[in-house]
């Protein structure tokens, strides 16, 4: 039953951000069909920030009226809303209407707002719900959260999204003479990038997203209602301890077992690790501030700052490098969470070291994006390998940091995980609001033509 609960926790976590992640990876197929064109990513960025009204409301309710908020009820509402919104997308994403004197994809933007509301609110409801289960299931939840980016990306790769082919084209000009005149005709040749047709339409992909959200709902119902799942709940003594101000009470044998990784090492190694790792110790106020600042910084980088320039950092090295960076980078997230399942760690020093290392790798990626369309080692195999490896290390390192912080805050209690979700959204929002004007208004980053850009060796 424990293994089943690990799977259910992962499926539950996968529903947290799969809707918006799926919408992002489908952009190359959506953009040519709507009046907003490639301004749609900018619209989505702003819509997601407006959707933070959801987590703001939940956080304020937890702060001022904690007993009046039914956490399970909120989860039921937002997951059902996500299922309905994803199901309506195939029917209405092309629908347009005139707004403010211009043609807009009103239905798509409204449904995108509801999907953003669902995913943003999940940060302050899904994670706190996991305090009702034994701590070992938290890492499984983070694995599922990582899969929410990987799964739609792999489906989109199978769909053939973003595959570009360079095609020779000819253009005939008449030199200003009438079109039926043959005098002064000239022919010009050029190479143009054409997107390959998808293997299946966006409508099928949106139905897939709706199905995943429905699976998430089933997983939550089983975790919340199934009698066998209740046996895997955190013990009342443990919950009481994590919610009290002093952590002086000793843990029972069952509570100590709850703190072990999913696959426990031999007893000798476990005892040695127990001496090195504090299991439920309360952190000082200054350390908690540091943890939350690191959490905000890491989520700003991974959820907003670097993803907004991924195409600028990777496309100069070729479409293969771009797709490998996106796919393998997304795969590094659940892989890091899977490693944390066997090697959980609460060391603040390790957290700081990994944060600095991930930030350094991110700085290299940002530098390559700033140098686009001709970054270092452009159009070389060495440069392609470096940028792909950089994205894998960046995502994997900071994903492990997020799991470390989740484990630390899990020991601090339910309220700490609510504020954890709020800080995740705050960091992501600040990162997005910082990058939006740099990318979309001031155009500090330049993209190259995949078929015509030539860089000096």
């Amino acid at each position: 039953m424990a293994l089943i609960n690990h799977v259910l926790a992962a499926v539950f976590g996968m529903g947290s951000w799969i809707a918006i992640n799926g919408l992002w990876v489908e952009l190359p197929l959506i953009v040519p069909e709507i009046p907003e064109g490639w301004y749609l990513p900018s619209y989505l960025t702003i819509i997601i920030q407006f959707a933070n009204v959801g987590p703001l409301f939940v956080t304020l309710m937890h702060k001022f009226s904690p007993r009046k908020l039914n956490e399970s009820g909120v989860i039921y509402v937002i997951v059902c809303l996500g299922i309905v919104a994803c199901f309506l997308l195939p029917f209405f994403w092309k629908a347009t209407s005139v707004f403010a004197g211009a043609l807009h994809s009103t239905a798509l933007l409204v449904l995108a707002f509801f999907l953003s509301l669902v995913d943003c609110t999940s940060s302050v409801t899904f994670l706190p719900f996991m305090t009702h289960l034994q701590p070992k299931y938290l890492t499984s939840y983070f694995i599922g959260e990582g899969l929410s980016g990987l799964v739609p990306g792999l489906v989109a790769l199978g769909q053939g999204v973003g595959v570009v082919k360079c095609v020779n084209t000819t253009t005939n000009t008449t030199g200003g003479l009438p079109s039926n005149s043959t005098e002064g005709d000239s022919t010009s040749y050029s190479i143009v990038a054409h997107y390959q047709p998808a293997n299946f339409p966006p409508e099928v992909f949106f139905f897939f997203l709706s199905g995943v959200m429905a699976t998430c709902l089933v997983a939550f119902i089983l975790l919340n209602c199934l009698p066998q799942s209740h046996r895997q709940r955190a013990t009342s003594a443990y919950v009481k301890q994590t919610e009290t101000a002093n952590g002086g009470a000793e843990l029972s044998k069952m509570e100590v077992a709850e703190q072990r990784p999913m696959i426990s090492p031999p007893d000798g190694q476990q005892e040695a690790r127990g001496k090195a790792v504090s299991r439920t110790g309360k952190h000082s106020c200054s350390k908690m501030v540091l943890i939350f600042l690191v959490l905000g910084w890491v989520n700003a980088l991974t959820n907003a700052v670097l993803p907004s320039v991924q195409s600028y950092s990777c496309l100069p090295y070729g479409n293969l490098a771009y797709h490998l960076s996106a796919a393998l980078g997304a795969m590094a997230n659940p892989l890091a969470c899977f490693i944390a399942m066997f090697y959980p760690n609460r060391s603040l020093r390790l957290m700081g070291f990994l944060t600095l290392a991930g930030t350094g790798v991110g700085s290299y990626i940002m530098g390559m994006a700033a140098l686009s369309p001709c970054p270092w080692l452009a159009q070389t195999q060495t440069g392609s390998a470096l940028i792909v490896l950089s994205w894998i290390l960046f995502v994997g390192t900071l994903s492990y940091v997020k799991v470390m912080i989740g484990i630390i805050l899990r020991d601090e209690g339910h309220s700490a995980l609510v504020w954890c979700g709020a800080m995740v959204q705050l960091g992501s929002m600040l990162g997005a609001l910082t990058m939006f004007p740099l990318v979309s208004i001031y155009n500090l980053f330049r993209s190259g033509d995949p078929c015509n850009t030539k860089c000096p060796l």
Side-chain angles (χ1 to χ4, degrees):
M1 191 62 208
L3 178 60
I4 295 176
N5 275 273
H6 279 293
V7 175
L8 291 177
V11 174
F12 176 57
M14 188 166 62
S16 60
W17 279 94
I18 196 166
I20 285 299
N21 288 335
L23 198 58
W24 277 105
V25 300
E26 202 69 1
L27 285 181
L29 295 182
I30 296 175
V31 162
E33 305 289 337
I34 60 174
E36 287 81 5
W38 279 109
Y39 285 104
L40 180 61
S42 300
Y43 287 129
L44 288 179
T45 301
I46 298 300
I47 287 172
I48 292 172
Q49 307 320 313
F50 280 125
N52 278 310
V53 64
L56 177 62
F57 171 77
V58 173
T59 304
L60 293 177
M61 287 293 292
H62 271 291
K63 177 65 177 177
F64 298 107
S65 301
R67 297 183 180 180
K68 293 183 179 180
L69 185 68
N70 186 336
E71 191 172 77
S72 296
V74 173
I75 294 176
Y76 278 120
V77 170
I78 62 174
V79 175
C80 290
L81 180 62
I83 294 172
V84 173
C86 288
F87 187 80
L88 292 177
L89 270 175
F91 302 102
F92 298 105
W93 71 276
K94 288 185 179 181
T96 58
S97 62
V98 178
F99 180 78
L103 197 63
H104 290 286
S105 304
T106 311
L108 175 63
L109 297 177
V110 170
L111 291 174
F113 171 78
F114 285 115
L115 292 178
S116 302
L117 184 66
V118 170
D119 290 0
C120 291
T121 309
S122 71
S123 296
V124 292
T125 52
F126 285 22
L127 198 57
F129 170 79
M130 294 304 296
T131 59
H132 299 303
L133 299 176
Q134 294 178 17
K136 61 184 179 181
Y137 297 115
L138 183 63
T139 306
S140 299
Y141 169 84
F142 279 115
I143 291 176
E145 194 175 63
L147 291 174
S148 70
L150 175 63
V151 170
L154 292 179
V155 174
L157 283 177
Q159 186 184 14
V161 172
V163 178
V164 176
K165 183 179 180 180
C166 297
V167 179
N168 286 316
T169 61
T170 58
T171 304
N172 293 321
T173 59
T174 59
L177 296 176
S179 57
N180 58 357
S181 172
T182 58
E183 296 181 12
D185 283 2
S186 63
T187 303
S188 60
Y189 300 91
S190 61
I191 301 176
V192 180
H194 282 278
Y195 284 100
Q196 296 286 85
N199 297 323
F200 53 87
E203 288 80 1
V204 175
F205 186 85
F206 293 143
F207 280 127
F208 164 76
L209 294 182
S210 181
V212 175
M213 291 299 298
T215 307
C216 170
L217 177 62
V218 172
F220 174 68
I221 292 174
L222 295 177
L223 287 173
N224 196 38
C225 302
L226 205 63
Q228 290 85 347
S229 294
H230 281 265
R231 297 172 192 166
Q232 302 295 324
R233 294 291 179 101
T235 60
S236 58
Y238 176 80
V239 174
K240 182 178 179 181
Q241 181 187 359
T242 59
E243 291 181 349
T244 53
N246 58 12
E250 293 184 358
L251 292 174
S252 67
K253 293 181 180 179
M254 181 177 291
E255 292 156 1
V256 172
E258 287 176 354
Q259 293 299 323
R260 291 177 181 170
M262 187 184 78
I263 307 298
S264 299
D267 293 339
Q269 297 180 21
Q270 182 67 34
E271 292 176 2
R273 183 178 295 172
K275 295 178 182 178
V277 178
S278 172
R279 296 197 177 279
T280 57
K282 293 287 181 178
H283 292 283
S284 64
C285 181
S286 59
K287 289 183 178 179
M288 289 301 295
V289 170
L290 173 64
I291 290 171
F292 277 109
L293 288 177
V294 170
L295 180 65
W297 172 254
V298 166
N299 280 279
L301 292 181
T302 57
N303 297 344
V305 175
L306 270 299
S308 65
V309 297
Q310 184 171 27
S311 59
Y312 297 101
S313 67
C314 298
L315 281 178
Y317 297 98
N319 286 297
L320 178 61
Y322 176 63
H323 287 294
L324 286 177
S325 297
L328 297 181
M331 194 177 297
N333 188 326
L335 179 60
C337 299
F338 187 74
I339 293 173
M341 183 179 291
F342 296 91
Y343 300 100
N345 201 302
R346 295 170 174 81
S347 170
L348 296 186
R349 290 185 178 180
L350 179 62
M351 181 188 73
F353 172 77
L354 292 178
T355 302
L356 289 176
T359 303
V361 176
S363 300
Y364 171 79
I365 295 173
M366 180 63 73
M368 298 304 99
L371 294 174
S372 178
C374 291
W376 296 339
L377 303 174
Q379 301 172 351
T380 66
Q381 292 185 351
T382 303
S384 300
L386 280 176
I387 199 65
V388 172
L389 182 62
S390 297
W391 272 102
I392 295 173
L393 293 176
F394 169 75
V395 175
T397 302
L398 296 189
S399 295
Y400 190 85
V401 171
K402 287 193 246 184
V403 178
M404 290 180 65
I405 294 176
I407 293 173
I408 292 171
L409 296 181
R410 171 64 176 81
D411 293 342
E412 298 293 330
H414 181 277
S415 178
L417 286 182
V418 174
W419 287 104
C420 172
M423 183 56 71
V424 167
Q425 289 306 117
L426 178 61
S428 302
M429 181 182 69
L430 293 178
L433 294 180
T434 300
M435 294 304 297
F436 176 76
L438 299 180
V439 175
S440 302
I441 298 177
Y442 298 110
N443 299 315
L444 296 185
F445 300 90
R446 293 181 299 160
S447 59
D449 188 321
C451 297
N452 296 304
T453 300
K454 302 296 182 182
C455 295
L457 299 177

